[in-house]
Amino acid sequence: MKYDKNGVGYRKRRRKRRRLLLLLLLLFLMIFAGCSAVVLSMMLHGNLSFENGFSFQEFSGQLTNYFAEQDLSTQLKKNTNDLLNRDIFEIETETETQTEAPTEPQTEAKPVAKSVAQDVLDAAALQAAMYDYDAAIDLLQKAEFYSEDAQAQALAADYQKQKDSCVAIDPENVTHIFYHSLVVDPARAFDPNKEGYDGWQQWMTTIYEFDQITQSMYDKGYVLVSLHDLIKKTENADGSVHIEKNQIYLPEGKKAFVLSIDDLSYYHTYEGRGVAEKIVLDEEGKPTCEYIRADGTVEYGDFDVVPRMDSFLEAHPDGCYRGARGTIALTGYNGILGYRTDGTYDAAHNTNTDVYYADNLQIDWLNAHPDFNWEKECEQAKEVVNAMKAEGWTFASHTWGHKAVGSASYEDLVRDTERWLEYVSPLLGGTDTIIFAHGEDITGTSGYSSDNAKYTYLKSKGFDIYCPVDSVDYTVNITEDYLHQGRRNLDGYRIYHDMISDSPMAGDLFDAKSVIDPDRPLPVPDLGN
């Protein structure tokens, strides 16, 4: 066992060694003095004589006979034991376990206790930073040391004071922003020689722009809340769901916002465009991204919204309400989160093959991955989903085929939804949220009624939250049957056109001139090009 040379155990052992050396020196002196006295006594009593001169053999023989007669060895042993038992040397008879095993726990007893207390204080501080004052106070008051710890009691009182000073946030005045996958390399994403240049410029946001917007919103007092923080759901006797506003309380001056991410499936069309390949788990089991650089180098890190927002909120816990994260809107035709989980990738697991089958991009991908295993792919996707949920992320349908639900027929919507429920929902553990693709809605107004067949169908499948696109600050409608909330696109189109506008639509969130990526080619094309 190794000991810290500055530790109590080490110093105690060093003192014992010094005492032992002193004891041995005294024993030697006693033996020497005793032998001298014996020789002198033998000479005086005539027991020691050398008739033919000195002989060591004769001397040792006579000395041995004298010891035997006087039993001096027994006396010497007795005197030695008496000396060993004296308190002034503080020598204890110890087993190996007693001398080493207890040393480290005994010297660390106080630091461990202090560490446990500090862990509780730190955990409470984190909860309070995220505006969950009740959880912070509960942690402190349940701690064993609370009744005797003035610091813990003062913190609990301070957290109660902070809670009492918070003001109510109206859920119908909460803005909702959204992104697509973030561009890591603008040169690859915004290459005018590649197909889809206009769309990539219009709909995609770069990492640089995301970071600038996130910091700007934080500086302006925006706090991330979950979609589900806006409402309170209870189940009626008949199994139906009753919805009402949920009250959020934040310090005065803070403003709530909701975040969502569209199309986090990493489509085959994204390959080679300077965005992440998939979400994977790092060594700690937390979500991160796999990214392939232009030279083929594979890297792992914060290359998209999920791990990037996680890192920001880890450094700024007051940027979220009770650990809230965003909502991931997933299609299904290329799988989810970079995992090829749709039935079209494996004929043995595909259903309705007359309508759903692998396209050329999927076939090329399968040819490049001959060891592909559909069941294993689904299990890996589930692991990533569960890790994201543990971080606070939630999931939503974005329709299986990125459907424009307003213009799609009822039959097409039903077929597409059934496909999503079959191949995507089981990987997520279900969801009550649908985020509409293309910004469309199932009705021309913000209100739904039972005579709307599309709404009635979606409601019957468990969808209670509906989110189209609406670029104004907020459009939120909460009824006893559903939550309807419009979303604001923070993409290349919005940033650029706010930069050149006298009335920027996202001016309450950021200054477009300050956040636009200097590596983004300008101008960003108009919609419809």
Side-chain angles (χ1 to χ4, degrees):
M1 180 180 292
K2 295 182 178 179
Y3 290 89
D4 179 6
K5 292 188 177 181
N6 296 317
V8 175
Y10 178 86
R11 294 195 297 270
K12 183 177 179 181
R13 291 172 65 83
R14 188 170 57 186
R15 287 195 300 269
K16 289 185 176 181
R17 285 197 294 269
R18 288 200 299 264
R19 291 170 184 152
L20 183 58
L21 290 173
L22 179 59
L23 172 62
L24 293 174
L25 178 60
L26 290 175
L27 287 175
F28 174 79
L29 292 175
M30 290 170 60
I31 293 171
F32 179 80
C35 289
S36 299
V38 168
V39 171
L40 181 59
S41 176
M42 291 174 66
M43 293 177 65
L44 292 175
H45 290 85
N47 293 324
L48 184 62
S49 63
F50 301 96
E51 297 177 354
N52 300 314
F54 178 81
S55 168
F56 181 81
Q57 184 176 5
E58 182 181 0
F59 168 74
S60 60
Q62 294 184 36
L63 192 62
T64 300
N65 292 334
Y66 184 81
F67 279 161
E69 293 174 359
Q70 301 297 324
D71 196 22
L72 291 179
S73 61
T74 302
Q75 185 64 34
L76 183 61
K77 181 177 180 181
K78 179 179 183 300
N79 292 339
T80 302
N81 287 335
D82 290 342
L83 186 62
L84 286 171
N85 291 326
R86 291 185 181 179
D87 292 338
I88 59 172
F89 290 101
E90 298 178 1
I91 303 297
E92 300 171 359
T93 303
E94 298 171 321
T95 64
E96 182 179 351
T97 303
Q98 289 172 326
T99 56
E100 296 191 355
T103 303
E104 198 166 27
Q106 288 174 352
T107 58
E108 292 186 356
K110 288 187 177 179
V112 168
K114 185 178 292 185
S115 175
V116 170
Q118 191 60 52
D119 288 346
V120 173
L121 298 180
D122 291 344
L126 178 61
Q127 293 297 330
M130 297 187 295
Y131 316 105
D132 195 349
Y133 303 108
D134 288 336
I137 294 170
D138 188 57
L139 276 173
L140 293 173
Q141 292 181 342
K142 286 183 177 178
E144 293 182 359
F145 59 85
Y146 179 77
S147 61
E148 300 177 355
D149 193 305
Q151 181 186 7
Q153 295 169 11
L155 285 172
D158 182 59
Y159 295 153
Q160 183 63 50
K161 185 177 180 180
Q162 291 183 49
K163 174 187 174 182
D164 294 340
S165 67
C166 288
V167 297
I169 302 295
D170 186 350
E172 294 189 343
N173 292 336
V174 174
T175 197
H176 185 154
I177 65 171
F178 79 96
Y179 300 93
H180 294 89
S181 291
L182 299 180
V183 168
V184 183
D185 185 351
R188 297 168 70 192
F190 307 136
D191 184 346
N193 298 314
K194 290 183 178 179
E195 185 179 357
Y197 170 78
D198 287 0
W200 277 82
Q201 272 272 56
Q202 293 161 348
W203 306 127
M204 309 305 279
T205 311
T206 71
I207 278 182
Y208 177 91
E209 291 163 345
F210 173 82
D211 288 348
Q212 299 300 311
I213 293 172
T214 301
Q215 186 65 53
S216 173
M217 292 183 64
Y218 175 79
D219 292 341
K220 289 177 179 289
Y222 280 94
V223 176
L224 176 61
V225 303
S226 169
L227 260 174
H228 292 87
D229 288 328
L230 304 181
I231 59 175
K232 184 184 300 182
K233 295 171 60 173
T234 56
E235 186 173 339
N236 298 318
D238 62 358
S240 61
V241 173
H242 176 80
I243 296 173
E244 59 183 313
K245 292 182 183 180
N246 184 46
Q247 199 62 71
I248 298 171
Y249 291 90
L250 292 173
E252 190 169 4
K254 297 291 186 180
K255 294 163 282 189
F257 79 99
V258 170
L259 167 69
S260 60
I261 310 170
D262 282 8
D263 304 308
L264 203 66
S265 297
Y266 301 105
Y267 303 126
H268 293 302
T269 54
Y270 284 14
E271 295 173 11
R273 299 303 290 256
V275 298
E277 293 288 313
K278 61 167 58 174
I279 296 182
V280 296
L281 302 182
D282 65 15
E283 293 178 351
E284 297 179 355
K286 293 187 176 183
T288 189
C289 288
E290 179 182 291
Y291 176 68
I292 302 177
R293 296 200 175 274
D295 63 2
T297 302
V298 179
E299 294 187 13
Y300 298 91
D302 297 352
F303 294 114
D304 212 339
V305 175
V306 170
R308 211 157 190 88
M309 183 59 79
D310 281 343
S311 294
F312 182 86
L313 293 177
E314 183 176 349
H316 306 84
D318 57 331
C320 66
Y321 177 74
R322 301 186 177 186
R325 293 295 189 270
T327 298
I328 312 299
L330 295 172
T331 56
Y333 62 93
N334 275 177
I336 66 170
L337 307 175
Y339 298 87
R340 307 311 172 192
T341 55
D342 189 61
T344 51
Y345 290 88
D346 189 334
H349 295 91
N350 197 15
T351 59
N352 197 355
T353 55
D354 292 338
V355 178
Y356 302 105
Y357 48 86
D359 61 23
N360 290 334
L361 290 176
Q362 291 172 305
I363 292 173
D364 289 343
W365 186 89
L366 286 169
N367 289 335
H369 298 82
D371 296 330
F372 172 74
N373 182 289
W374 186 82
E375 291 90 347
K376 183 177 180 180
E377 195 85 350
C378 290
E379 287 304 314
Q380 290 176 338
K382 284 183 181 180
E383 290 179 8
V384 173
V385 166
N386 290 335
M388 292 173 66
K389 289 166 74 172
E391 293 291 302
W393 295 93
T394 59
F395 293 88
S397 168
H398 201 45
T399 73
W400 179 87
H402 207 263
K403 289 289 181 181
V405 295
S407 54
S409 68
Y410 173 82
E411 291 75 18
D412 192 15
L413 175 63
V414 169
R415 182 170 55 247
D416 181 272
T417 303
E418 295 298 329
R419 184 78 177 185
W420 192 92
L421 293 173
E422 181 178 7
Y423 286 102
V424 183
S425 183
L427 303 177
L428 310 179
T431 183
D432 62 353
T433 306
I434 184 165
I435 291 177
F436 296 128
H438 301 287
E440 289 196 7
D441 203 345
I442 54 177
T443 181
T445 66
S446 61
Y448 299 152
S449 60
S450 58
D451 59 0
N452 183 320
K454 292 179 180 178
Y455 163 69
T456 302
Y457 167 74
L458 291 173
K459 180 69 175 176
S460 72
K461 296 300 178 180
F463 293 107
D464 300 317
I465 301 175
Y466 304 84
C467 299
V469 172
D470 191 339
S471 296
V472 299
D473 291 1
Y474 38 78
T475 51
V476 183
N477 185 19
I478 299 175
T479 75
E480 63 180 16
D481 296 316
Y482 60 83
L483 162 64
H484 184 276
Q485 184 180 40
R487 304 182 300 144
R488 307 167 70 181
N489 53 301
L490 302 188
D491 47 30
Y493 177 84
R494 173 55 47 224
I495 296 170
Y496 172 71
H497 284 275
D498 270 16
M499 185 182 73
I500 63 175
S501 173
D502 293 331
S503 302
M505 296 188 70
D508 56 319
L509 308 177
F510 56 84
D511 173 27
K513 294 179 181 178
S514 300
V515 306
I516 196 163
D517 194 324
D519 292 331
R520 177 186 285 276
L522 299 179
V524 173
D526 286 333
L527 297 177
N529 288 354

